[in-house]
């Protein structure tokens, strides 16, 4: 037995990715964090780059809670009390009090009766969506949905999959009308915030469309929303896309690893749905949960989000999002309107995107270029992400370096 033959195929694939400018390459390793000073925010030190300190504009930690003293203290105290790991999957002996407390608090935060933790948000979607799909189910998906949704649909093997043009309710309506009577059940699944662009799904309009067609399907239409980039970053109180649109998903999935600054994923829904998932989802049954300490840290982060301090941090994000978008427009860069802290720069060219990433890195700014196939051809971009850790001076510094780019 040998890997020699297959490694030749893998190496050829890696070379092809390199030639197309699509290879991600080596990951940069953070080795230290430099505190804020002189009006500038936190900076990060990277392995192999000496004393250079980088402004990070590519982090999902929108509220900066991963470095918040209360969150750190909550995790440290829980480690002392419970140890570093759960020791087993939850139904054997891996459920701890912080897991139950966090699930209760998440359900309350989202106005639901029940919640359930998973090891990651990606695992949540993979563990949830297939449990709602049978051989008689139609799945309808937004064209710009995240990889976790795409792969969960593949895993589910539905009777049929339909994709509607991004955020196009008329296209969704046509699909539901065309397929009436042909399937027992429909799952309409979408991101809340679309992670490459920072725009959002109109959950209220999706629900209205589903309600209009539900009578045509024996087992109804279920709406499933992954709002991992919305919760804690969007809406006045950080309750995400549901808060902004006034719509409510049947099944809401989100993460503990972005705005809350810790790790893990979760789903909130009715008690019957959550009890069903605990008995059927292999990503829950056969995988260790987040650690008790991570659950305690998430509880601490959620308490901050749902407080006056959280409201202040969210207002700062909105103000900085407006400031950055206005600055980009002044410089002639193409972006999208909105209040979400994901602020895209549409470059629409792979080589130019790579050149702009390199230019900013030279000036100690970390950004991530998104090229095909992560985004469609012609939509190559740099995704800027604002954090409450940033300062106005940071944004002015970023805009000045963008102004200097001659690509």
């Amino acid at each position: 037995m040998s890997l020699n033959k297959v490694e030749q195929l893998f190496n050829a694939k890696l070379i092809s990715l390199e030639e197309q400018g699509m290879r991600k390459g080596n990951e940069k390793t953070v080795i230290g964090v430099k505190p804020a000073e002189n009006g500038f925010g936190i900076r990060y030190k990277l392995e192999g780059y000496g004393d250079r300190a980088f402004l990070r504009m590519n982090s999902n930690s929108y509220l900066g809670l991963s470095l918040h003293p209360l969150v750190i203290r909550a995790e440290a105290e829980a480690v002392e009390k419970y140890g570093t790991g759960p020791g087993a999957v939850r139904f054997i002996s891996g459920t701890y009090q912080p897991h139950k407390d966090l699930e209760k608090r998440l359900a309350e935060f989202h106005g639901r009766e029940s919640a359930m933790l998973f090891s990651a948000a990606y695992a949540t979607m993979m563990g949830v969506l297939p449990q709602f799909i049978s051989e008689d189910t139609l799945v309808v998906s937004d064209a710009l949905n995240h990889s976790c949704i795409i792969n969960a649909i593949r895993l589910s093997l539905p009777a049929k999959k339909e994709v509607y043009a991004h955020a196009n309710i008329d296209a969704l309506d046509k699909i539901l009308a065309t397929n009436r009577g042909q399937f027992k059940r429909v799952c309409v699944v979408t991101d809340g915030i679309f992670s490459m662009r920072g725009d959002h799904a109109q959950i209220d309009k999706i629900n209205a469309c589903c309600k209009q067609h539900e009578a045509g399907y024996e087992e109804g239409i279920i709406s499933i929303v992954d709002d991992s980039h919305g919760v804690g970053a969007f809406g006045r109180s950080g309750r995400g896309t549901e808060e902004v649109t006034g719509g409510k998903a049947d099944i809401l999935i989100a993460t503990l690893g972005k705005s809350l600054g810790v790790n893990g994923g979760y789903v909130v829904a009715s008690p019957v749905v959550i009890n069903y998932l605990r008995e059927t989802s292999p990503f829950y049954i056969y995988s260790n949960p987040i650690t008790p300490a991570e659950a305690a840290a998430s509880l601490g982060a959620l308490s901050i989000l749902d407080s006056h301090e959280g409201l202040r941090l969210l207002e700062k994000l909105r103000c900085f999002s407006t400031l950055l978008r206005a600055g980009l427009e002044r410089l002639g860069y193409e972006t999208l309107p909105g209040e979400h802290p994901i602020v895209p720069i549409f470059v629409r060219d792979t080589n130019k995107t790579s050149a702009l990433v390199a230019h900013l890195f030279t000036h100690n700014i970390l950004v991530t270029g998104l090229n095909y196939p992560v985004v469609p051809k012609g939509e190559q971009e740099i995704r800027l992400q604002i954090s409450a850790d940033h300062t106005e001076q940071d944004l002015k510094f970023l805009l000045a370096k963008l102004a200097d780019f001659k690509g």
Side-chain angles (χ1 to χ4, degrees):
M1 300 289 288
S2 170
L3 289 173
N4 289 343
K5 291 183 179 180
V6 74
E7 282 181 345
Q8 293 177 29
L9 297 174
F10 293 164
N11 194 54
K13 177 65 174 177
L14 291 172
I15 292 171
S16 175
L17 290 172
E18 185 79 40
E19 290 173 348
Q20 297 174 70
M22 293 162 52
R23 185 169 179 178
K24 298 176 183 66
N26 294 330
E27 299 166 356
K28 294 179 175 63
T29 303
V30 176
I31 58 172
V33 180
K34 182 181 178 183
E37 61 180 4
N38 301 324
F40 292 97
I42 291 168
R43 294 293 190 269
Y44 292 82
K45 294 187 176 182
L46 303 179
E47 182 181 33
Y49 292 93
D51 292 330
R52 291 174 65 184
F54 292 84
L55 169 62
R56 189 161 69 164
M57 296 300 305
N58 56 359
S59 169
N60 297 324
S61 185
Y62 298 115
L63 297 179
L65 295 184
S66 62
L67 293 170
H68 195 290
L70 186 152
V71 178
I72 293 172
R73 184 167 63 251
E75 181 156 1
E77 290 175 354
V79 166
E80 291 290 340
K81 184 174 183 178
Y82 298 108
T84 58
V89 298
R90 286 186 65 174
F91 83 94
I92 293 178
S93 63
T95 297
Y96 287 73
Q97 191 63 48
H99 294 132
K100 296 177 66 175
D101 292 343
L102 178 57
E103 287 173 335
K104 182 175 185 294
R105 187 69 185 87
L106 286 167
E108 292 171 350
F109 181 78
H110 289 290
R112 266 54 169 213
E113 293 182 80
S114 296
M116 176 178 171
L117 298 173
F118 282 80
S119 59
Y122 204 109
T124 308
M125 181 58 73
M126 296 292 286
V128 169
L129 182 59
Q131 307 314 310
F132 290 92
I133 296 176
S134 71
E135 65 277 5
D136 297 311
T137 301
L138 165 68
V139 177
V140 187
S141 176
D142 188 286
L144 293 189
N145 275 341
H146 189 268
S147 164
C148 68
I149 295 175
I150 295 169
N151 282 328
I153 293 172
R154 289 172 178 162
L155 178 65
S156 302
L157 299 176
K160 185 180 182 182
K161 179 186 77 171
E162 292 270 19
V163 177
Y164 61 95
H166 175 55
N168 189 323
I169 302 300
D170 289 339
L172 171 62
D173 179 79
K174 184 177 180 180
I175 290 170
L176 294 178
T178 302
N179 287 282
R180 284 170 68 97
Q182 299 181 44
F183 303 93
K184 288 185 177 180
R185 183 189 312 165
V186 182
C187 288
V188 176
V189 58
T190 181
D191 284 318
I193 295 294
F194 293 89
S195 60
M196 300 302 148
R197 299 161 54 92
D199 58 345
H200 64 276
Q202 296 291 340
I203 300 176
D204 54 337
K205 294 180 181 179
I206 290 173
N207 285 348
C209 184
C210 291
K211 186 175 181 179
Q212 181 180 349
H213 294 284
E214 189 164 31
Y217 298 92
E218 180 183 336
E219 297 177 358
I221 302 176
I222 301 167
S223 61
I224 301 174
V225 175
D226 184 338
D227 207 21
S228 290
H229 283 274
V231 175
F234 199 44
R236 178 186 171 277
S237 70
R239 283 167 170 80
T241 308
E242 289 190 332
E243 179 177 12
V244 171
T245 64
K248 192 171 184 179
D250 295 315
I251 313 294
L252 180 69
I253 289 168
T255 185
L256 306 169
K258 292 183 171 62
S259 288
L260 294 179
V262 190
N263 183 45
Y266 64 91
V267 55
V268 294
S270 70
V272 171
V273 164
I274 296 301
N275 288 336
Y276 167 73
L277 289 170
R278 290 191 197 277
E279 298 294 332
T280 62
S281 176
F283 284 78
Y284 175 86
I285 297 169
Y286 300 109
S287 182
N288 274 11
I290 61 173
T291 68
E294 287 173 327
S298 298
L299 271 166
L302 192 57
S303 73
I304 295 168
L305 171 59
D306 200 20
S307 71
H308 290 300
E309 182 180 358
L311 293 176
R312 180 181 60 78
L313 293 173
L314 288 160
E315 177 61 23
K316 181 179 181 181
L317 283 184
R318 286 190 291 273
C319 290
F320 278 15
S321 296
T322 299
L323 179 66
L324 181 55
R325 284 181 168 89
L328 291 175
E329 290 172 1
R330 283 196 306 273
L331 296 175
Y333 285 98
E334 180 186 356
T335 187
L336 284 177
E339 292 187 345
H340 193 275
I342 290 175
V343 182
I345 299 176
F346 292 105
V347 184
R348 304 194 184 281
D349 177 88
T350 294
N351 292 333
K352 189 174 179 181
T353 299
S354 299
L356 182 51
V357 170
H359 166 78
L360 293 174
F361 187 81
T362 299
H363 294 283
N364 299 333
I365 301 172
L366 298 176
V367 300
T368 300
L370 301 172
N371 288 319
Y372 174 83
V374 177
V375 294
K377 291 180 179 179
E379 296 191 17
Q380 296 93 325
E381 66 170 271
I382 288 175
R383 180 178 65 180
L384 303 175
Q385 292 170 277
I386 297 170
S387 169
D389 280 339
H390 294 146
T391 69
E392 192 169 337
Q393 284 293 99
D394 290 332
L395 299 188
K396 289 179 179 178
F397 174 69
L398 168 66
L399 289 167
K401 300 309 173 187
L402 286 168
D404 291 340
F405 180 60
K406 305 301 182 185

